Amino acid sequence: TYKRYYGEIDKDECLLLMVLLKDMLTKRFQERNQENHNIKNWSDIQSTIHSQILAKTASLFVIYNNDIPISMSICYHHGNVLFSYIDSYDIDYFKFGLGNILIYKKLEQCFEYNYTFLDMGWGDLDYKRQWCNHITNLGHYVFYPKNSLIANCTALWEGNKTRLKAFLLSNKMNSFIEKSRKMFNPNNSYEKRTPNYRFEILENFKSQSNLTAINLKNEENFRFQSIINDFIYNTEEYYLDVKLYDFQNEGYYVLQGKKNQMKLVIEP
């Protein structure tokens, strides 16, 4: 389900959603072994978003799996411009392309509420090039008193620093830096929660009365979430119809939906 918070949101609910969004961002960028600059300013973002939603200068869009938020987007509203500021999603649901679904739903909002532009913000990323029909360069302007030698030197430094950053980014130097950081700091790399696994064909399995499906809401079983999503994505089963049974004595698990069943083998 989809929900847009704009003009109205409970303060406690807003706080909870912001905590979850920060957790999504943190895990997503740990997975990519990159730094997210919004995390540094999170206290400012979190302290202002509730009043901004009430004032209709910002909105929070949430995708839910039943009652669990799995993807969120913060947008700011400037006249006829819907500015997409922060997007993220639960990495266990990556197969479903939630980032593209978010963009699609924001375009729906633009048509429904008469926004002329969906501004996807600064940053030359592949998904933006796939969706955007107009790209413009970001301009930097340095204002200073021309009669001050110190101000002239400072402006020259700031201007050249910005040009250097733009040159390095245009030559993909940031990607090189991220790869180097991962190479020399292996301990900072993301520790994958989902184990290695494979599916095998399983025929003639019927759920037995003496078997109890694994409770997937227990924290110790969260590692199965991405695997179950993989099963759902490939079989198009409905989430609430899927059960997971434990046959560890025989070295495997069983995933069963209404129409499909598979043997799940966790690899060492």
Side-chain angles (χ1 to χ4, degrees):
T1 55
Y2 309 98
K3 188 165 183 179
R4 179 178 184 251
Y5 296 91
Y6 179 64
E8 184 178 358
I9 187 172
D10 178 77
K11 192 169 185 177
D12 290 337
E13 184 177 10
C14 184
L15 177 60
L16 174 60
L17 289 172
M18 290 299 290
V19 170
L20 293 174
L21 177 54
K22 182 182 179 182
D23 186 56
M24 290 179 189
L25 279 169
T26 301
K27 290 177 180 177
R28 177 74 180 106
F29 278 81
Q30 282 179 345
E31 181 188 47
R32 293 165 58 177
N33 196 34
Q34 292 179 345
E35 183 180 12
N36 184 277
H37 298 289
N38 289 317
I39 297 297
K40 295 180 180 178
N41 305 318
W42 198 256
S43 59
D44 293 333
I45 297 170
Q46 183 168 291
S47 64
T48 57
I49 188 65
H50 180 254
S51 60
Q52 289 170 330
I53 291 174
L54 297 183
K56 296 187 175 182
T57 58
S59 61
L60 181 62
F61 187 81
V62 186
I63 299 176
Y64 291 90
N65 174 25
N66 294 305
D67 58 348
I68 300 172
I70 59 174
S71 185
M72 283 185 256
S73 175
I74 293 176
C75 289
Y76 292 112
H77 304 255
H78 302 282
N80 66 342
V81 178
L82 182 64
F83 177 66
S84 179
Y85 183 48
I86 299 175
D87 294 351
S88 196
Y89 60 89
D90 185 332
I91 57 176
D92 284 339
Y93 293 80
F94 78 97
K95 278 222 167 187
F96 295 98
L98 295 178
N100 283 321
I101 293 175
L102 274 178
I103 297 172
Y104 183 87
K105 300 303 288 187
K106 280 183 278 193
L107 284 171
E108 273 191 344
Q109 293 176 45
C110 289
F111 284 107
E112 184 175 355
Y113 300 105
N114 298 316
Y115 291 102
T116 306
F117 297 99
L118 173 61
D119 187 338
M120 299 183 71
W122 175 83
D124 186 6
L125 300 171
D126 289 340
Y127 79 91
K128 293 183 182 181
R129 288 189 173 271
Q130 291 168 0
W131 279 96
C132 289
N133 58 0
H134 180 70
I135 298 172
T136 186
N137 290 328
L138 181 67
H140 292 261
Y141 299 89
V142 180
F143 294 89
Y144 60 96
K146 63 181 181 180
N147 295 323
S148 167
L149 178 61
I150 295 176
N152 272 267
C153 292
T154 303
L156 184 65
W157 163 252
E158 290 294 334
N160 287 329
K161 184 172 70 173
T162 300
R163 291 188 188 95
L164 177 61
K165 285 182 179 179
F167 172 78
L168 294 174
L169 286 171
S170 66
N171 285 277
K172 308 296 183 184
M173 186 57 69
N174 55 324
S175 299
F176 173 76
I177 292 173
E178 293 297 340
K179 289 178 182 177
S180 300
R181 182 183 298 170
K182 188 173 183 179
M183 183 183 300
F184 291 106
N185 296 282
N187 293 330
N188 291 335
S189 59
Y190 176 70
E191 185 176 347
K192 189 171 69 169
R193 182 172 70 183
T194 305
N196 295 321
Y197 64 92
R198 70 178 187 271
F199 292 131
E200 295 180 359
I201 301 298
L202 183 67
E203 297 179 355
N204 302 320
F205 173 81
K206 294 182 180 180
S207 56
Q208 304 168 31
S209 58
N210 62 332
L211 286 177
T212 302
I214 292 175
N215 183 358
L216 298 171
K217 292 185 178 181
N218 285 347
E219 187 173 347
E220 63 185 21
N221 295 323
F222 285 176
R223 65 194 182 109
F224 291 109
Q225 185 63 68
S226 181
I227 300 173
I228 291 170
N229 289 338
D230 192 1
F231 175 77
I232 292 170
Y233 182 83
N234 288 300
T235 62
E236 298 185 1
E237 291 280 359
Y238 183 52
Y239 185 83
L240 294 179
D241 291 334
V242 176
K243 300 289 187 292
L244 179 65
Y245 296 97
D246 186 349
F247 287 84
Q248 282 198 83
N249 291 335
E250 300 177 44
Y252 62 88
Y253 297 85
V254 169
L255 273 165
Q256 185 181 43
K258 279 193 171 181
K259 300 178 181 178
N260 301 273
Q261 55 199 24
M262 287 186 180
K263 182 187 292 186
L264 167 64
V265 179
I266 303 295
E267 299 176 343

